[in-house]
Every structure is written in structure tokens, then in C-alpha cells.
């Protein structure tokens, strides 16, 4: 009902729409309209009222509300359902819960704040209230389980393209970290539930540092993290940016379902700041390390590194990778 009222107010532009007219169009009482208007105001919508003229929407809040995200969202799959929360333990955990209840392909979970967000290797993810975009996308793809890790690269390209559309140029460090001047802007974690030859669901959790001042980052990550605000020198409107991310995600997901991952990999190469550089690879579990030149990714998304002892194949999730000059 809130979404329908917002749609009517938006269609009226700067004009007023009476409570009686809204009630008539929606088939509810004027009292119900008034209650929904009050709820919208409490959510941050600037709705002015005039005793004779009715209601007029003057400004929408830059909050990650489902009705705001849907407004103007042009996607076919991603965002067909949007679950928005003020605060949650983890968007990935909530996406899993929804997946187990049968949530459809393309379902999005987003929160203003996470209490238990995490990244690779169970590292805690800094996700302060109202300062970033913390979200997960639930996919039910038709391809085989071994293809699922490639979705991580898809997500990185989607965010990088959205940034580009906002005049922000960053690079992707293999496989999915998005960096600006060596500092991390975006973290991505992909999880999967699958049988031997089919995927039940894939969940791609993404955290984007949007409007966080450098001094607001915890001391432990201040030197290695940054935000879009710091990058551009001004605050970024989160809702339009999030719509851009979901749009790019949707375009790439449709491409993958129709043609496979080749197009995603080509786009990833364009954004890569790893390929062509000397890197140091450190085995997370084995402790083994070696250096070499990153030359490409293979059809599985693995990084190919030329070393003095020959070409090595590096799998996502098994290693950390750093420029060799940072040794």
C-alpha cells in the first residue's frame, strides 16, 4: 500500500493529491491513507499536507528502502523481490533463510547495518549504519556447481561498471576486490548450496563503502580501506547508485545465462589491476608462497602466473595475492 501511495504522489509531481482521491483510487479509507502517510514520513519521506489540497511528495530519503530501490529500477531478474532491513545480522544469512523458504532467482536482501557481516576466511566486515550498501543477491542459475565461483567475478564487474557510470574509475584486484589507489572499496563473498550436478542456490554478498570518511574506519583497516565519498570528494546518493549496481548485475546475469561467462571475463580483464603485474601469491592453508607475473585468467576464472619455474594456476579462495613490491 505504501508503494502505491508513493506512486500516486510521484505521478502528481509538484501538485497536491487529496486524501479522498488517494483513498478512492486505492479502494481504502481516508484514515488508512493518513496512517500510511504518517508511516512514510517516519521513514524519512518529506510529504507536505494542506488541509484543502491534500498531500504532496517533496523529497524522498536516501535510505535503502524497498519502495525507493524499486522506483525506477529497470531489471528483469535481479531485484524481482527486495527485502530491506534497518539492521540485520548478515544479509547473506538472511538470503540463505529466504532461499530455504523458496525465494526466487534474483531476490535481493539489503540492510542499513549488519551486526555479523563477514568476508573471506571468516574476517569480520565493517558495515556501519547508513554509510554503505550491504547486500546479497540470491541466484538460482541453471549451470553446474563448478561454474558458481565465476559469479564472484560477475559481481565485481557489476559494481565496477556502476562506479564508472557515476564517474568513478577503480580497478579489480584478482579475483574480486575493488580498489582505488591501493585501498579497498568493495568486498564480495560468494556462497553456494548444491547437489552433485546442480545448484540449489548461489548467494553473492557484497559490501560497498559509500559515504564513510577515512577517519571513521577502524584503526586496523584505515590504511587499507577507503570509500566512494573519499574517492570523489563528495557524498554519493546511495539509492541511485544501488539501482545502477543491480542493473549491471542483471545485465551480466542474463548474459551469463544465455552465452556463458566469456563476456564477463572479457569485462573483468578490462578492469583488472592484477594482470601484467608482478605479484606474490601466498597459500592461505599451505603457507606456500611464490612470485611471478600475472598474465591472464583461465576459463575457470583461475589466475595464471608465470614464474621462473613455469606457469602456475591460482584458484580463488585458496590464496591471498599482493603486489610483489609490498613484500
Amino acid at each position: 500500500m505504501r508503494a502505491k501511495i508513493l506512486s500516486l504522489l510521484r505521478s502528481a509531481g509538484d501538485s497536491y493529491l487529496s486524501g479522498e482521491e488517494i483513498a478512492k483510487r486505492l479502494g481504502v479509507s481516508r484514515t488508512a491513507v493518513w496512517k500510511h502517510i504518517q508511516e512514510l514520513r517516519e521513514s524519512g519521506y518529506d510529504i507536505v499536507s494542506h488541509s484543502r489540497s491534500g498531500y504532496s511528495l517533496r523529497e524522498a530519503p536516501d535510505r535503502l528502502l524497498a519502495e525507493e530501490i524499486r522506483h525506477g529500477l529497470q531489471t528483469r531478474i535481479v531485484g524481482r523481490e527486495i527485502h530491506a532491513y534497518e539492521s540485520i545480522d548478515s544479509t547473506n544469512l538472511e538470503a540463505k533463510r529466504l532461499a530455504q523458504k523458496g525465494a526466487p532467482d534474483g531476490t535481493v536482501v539489503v540492510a542499513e547495518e549488519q551486526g555479523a557481516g563477514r568476508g573471506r576466511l571468516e574476517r569480520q566486515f565493517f558495515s556501519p549504519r547508513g554509510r554503505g550498501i550491504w547486500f546479497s543477491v540470491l541466484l538460482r542459475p541453471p549451470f553446474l556447481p563448478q561454474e558458481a565461483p565465476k559469479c564472484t567475478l560477475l559481481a565485481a564487474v557489476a559494481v565496477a561498471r556502476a562506479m564508472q557510470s557515476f564517474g568513478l574509475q577503480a580497478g579489480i584486484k584478482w579475483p574480486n576486490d575493488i580498489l582505488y589507489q591501493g585501498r579497498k572499496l568493495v568486498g564480495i563473498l560468494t556462497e553456494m548450496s548444491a547437489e552433485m550436478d546442480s545448484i540449489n542456490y548461489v548467494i553473492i554478498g557484497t559490501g560497498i563503502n559509500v559515504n564513510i570518511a577515512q577517519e571513521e574506519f577502524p584503526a586496523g583497516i584505515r590504511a587499507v580501506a577507503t570509500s566512494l565519498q573519499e574517492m570523489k570528494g563528495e557524498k554519493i546518493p546511495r539509492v541511485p547508485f544501488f539501482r545502477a549496481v543491480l542493473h549491471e548485475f542483471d545485465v551480466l546475469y542474463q548474459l551469463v545465462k544465455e552465452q556463458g561467462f566469456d563476456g564477463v571475463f572479457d569485462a573483468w580483464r578490462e578492469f583488472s589491476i592484477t594482470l601484467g603485474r608482478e605479484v606474490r601469491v601466498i597459500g592461505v592453508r599451505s603457507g606456500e608462497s611464490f612470485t611471478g607475473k600475472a598474465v591472464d585468467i583461465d576459463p575457470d576464472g583461475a589466475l595464471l602466473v608465470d614464474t621462473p619455474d613455469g606457469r602456475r594456476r591460482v584458484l580463488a579462495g585458496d590464496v591471498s595475492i599482493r603486489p610483489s613490491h609490498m613484500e
Side-chain angles (χ1 to χ4, degrees), residues 65 75 82 86 89 102 118 195 213 226 322 326:
L65 303 168
T75 58
I82 298 175
E86 188 68 22
D89 51 359
R118 61 187 178 88
E195 308 299 330
T226 192
R322 303 164 184 157
M326 292 176 62

Side-chain angles (χ1 to χ4, degrees), residues 1 23 45 201 219:
M1 185 60 64
Y45 288 90
Y201 58 81

Side-chain angles (χ1 to χ4, degrees), residues 286-300:
S286 67
E288 177 194 15
S289 67
F290 62 88
T291 59
K293 184 177 181 179
V295 293
D296 203 357
I297 52 175
D298 71 8
D300 294 322

Side-chain angles (χ1 to χ4, degrees), residues 1-6 8-9 18-42 47 55:
M1 185 60 64
R2 285 174 34 152
K4 291 179 180 179
I5 292 174
L6 282 173
L8 290 175
L9 292 176
S18 72
E20 182 179 359
E21 179 65 19
I22 296 172
K24 182 180 178 181
R25 292 193 193 182
L26 299 182
V28 297
S29 68
R30 290 180 62 182
T31 301
V33 170
W34 179 84
K35 287 181 178 178
H36 286 299
I37 292 288
Q38 293 306 110
E39 290 175 0
L40 288 167
R41 284 170 169 165
E42 290 170 4
I47 300 174
Y55 302 102

Side-chain angles (χ1 to χ4, degrees), residues 110-167:
V110 63
E112 291 283 359
E113 176 186 47
Q114 291 186 114
R118 61 187 178 88
R120 286 181 62 240
L121 308 177
E122 299 298 322
R123 297 187 182 108
Q124 187 173 4
F125 195 89
F126 178 60
S127 47
R129 180 186 294 266
R131 315 307 289 276
I133 300 174
W134 329 117
F135 74 102
S136 298
V137 178
L138 164 65
L139 303 180
R140 297 188 184 275
F143 43 75
L144 295 173
Q146 54 264 37
E147 301 278 281
K150 301 177 187 180
C151 292
T152 305
L153 281 71
L154 182 158
V157 171
V159 177
R161 281 185 169 181
M163 289 177 60
Q164 200 171 54
S165 72
F166 273 68

Side-chain angles (χ1 to χ4, degrees), residues 12-314:
D14 294 331
S15 301
Y16 284 83
L17 200 60
S18 72
E20 182 179 359
E21 179 65 19
I22 296 172
K24 182 180 178 181
R25 292 193 193 182
L26 299 182
V28 297
S29 68
R30 290 180 62 182
T31 301
V33 170
W34 179 84
K35 287 181 178 178
H36 286 299
I37 292 288
Q38 293 306 110
E39 290 175 0
L40 288 167
R41 284 170 169 165
E42 290 170 4
S43 295
Y45 288 90
D46 182 7
I47 300 174
V48 296
S49 58
H50 191 280
S51 58
R52 294 184 178 180
S53 303
Y55 302 102
S56 177
L57 175 64
R58 296 301 166 87
E59 189 175 3
D62 190 37
R63 293 180 59 196
L64 300 172
L65 303 168
E67 49 262 43
E68 273 309 291
I69 298 165
R70 289 192 191 98
H71 176 62
L73 180 64
Q74 302 294 323
T75 58
R76 285 174 51 192
I77 302 172
V78 176
R80 60 174 59 176
E81 276 192 16
I82 298 175
H83 299 261
Y85 301 88
E86 188 68 22
S87 183
I88 201 170
D89 51 359
S90 159
T91 60
N92 263 30
L93 290 175
E94 179 62 11
K96 288 179 187 177
R97 291 188 283 261
L98 291 169
Q100 290 161 6
K101 295 177 182 178
D105 191 24
T107 295
V108 172
V109 179
V110 63
E112 291 283 359
E113 176 186 47
Q114 291 186 114
R118 61 187 178 88
R120 286 181 62 240
L121 308 177
E122 299 298 322
R123 297 187 182 108
Q124 187 173 4
F125 195 89
F126 178 60
S127 47
R129 180 186 294 266
R131 315 307 289 276
I133 300 174
W134 329 117
F135 74 102
S136 298
V137 178
L138 164 65
L139 303 180
R140 297 188 184 275
F143 43 75
L144 295 173
Q146 54 264 37
E147 301 278 281
K150 301 177 187 180
C151 292
T152 305
L153 281 71
L154 182 158
V157 171
V159 177
R161 281 185 169 181
M163 289 177 60
Q164 200 171 54
S165 72
F166 273 68
L168 299 166
Q169 190 68 40
I172 303 174
K173 188 187 83 167
W174 183 87
N176 57 19
D177 284 345
I178 299 181
L179 306 182
Y180 175 69
Q181 296 183 345
R183 291 181 172 180
K184 188 171 178 177
L185 292 156
V186 179
I188 299 171
L189 175 67
T190 299
E191 300 179 285
M192 174 179 66
S193 169
E195 308 299 330
M196 186 68 70
D197 58 354
S198 65
I199 293 173
N200 297 323
Y201 58 81
V202 173
I203 293 172
I204 306 174
T206 305
I208 307 173
N209 299 331
V210 183
N211 294 322
I212 306 175
Q214 203 63 42
E215 63 273 12
E216 293 178 311
F217 285 100
I221 63 171
R222 195 171 299 153
V224 296
T226 192
S227 70
L228 304 187
Q229 174 184 313
E230 291 292 306
M231 187 177 175
K232 194 166 186 179
E234 61 186 47
K235 287 191 173 183
I236 305 296
R238 291 184 306 150
V239 173
F241 182 77
F242 189 36
R243 286 196 210 105
V245 171
L246 296 181
H247 169 74
E248 297 294 346
F249 208 119
D250 189 69
V251 169
L252 291 169
Y253 186 45
Q254 290 180 61
L255 176 67
V256 164
K257 292 178 78 172
E258 294 169 3
Q259 302 178 22
F261 280 89
D262 287 351
V264 168
F265 283 8
D266 287 343
W268 184 93
R269 291 182 180 99
E270 293 177 10
F271 286 105
S272 173
I273 56 173
T274 301
L275 299 184
R277 298 181 64 174
E278 292 293 318
V279 297
R280 183 184 182 199
V281 179
I282 305 170
V284 172
R285 295 176 180 84
S286 67
E288 177 194 15
S289 67
F290 62 88
T291 59
K293 184 177 181 179
V295 293
D296 203 357
I297 52 175
D298 71 8
D300 294 322
L303 184 68
L304 302 178
V305 181
D306 282 348
T307 76
D309 300 319
R311 179 162 291 184
R312 302 283 295 267
R313 183 172 180 268
V314 184

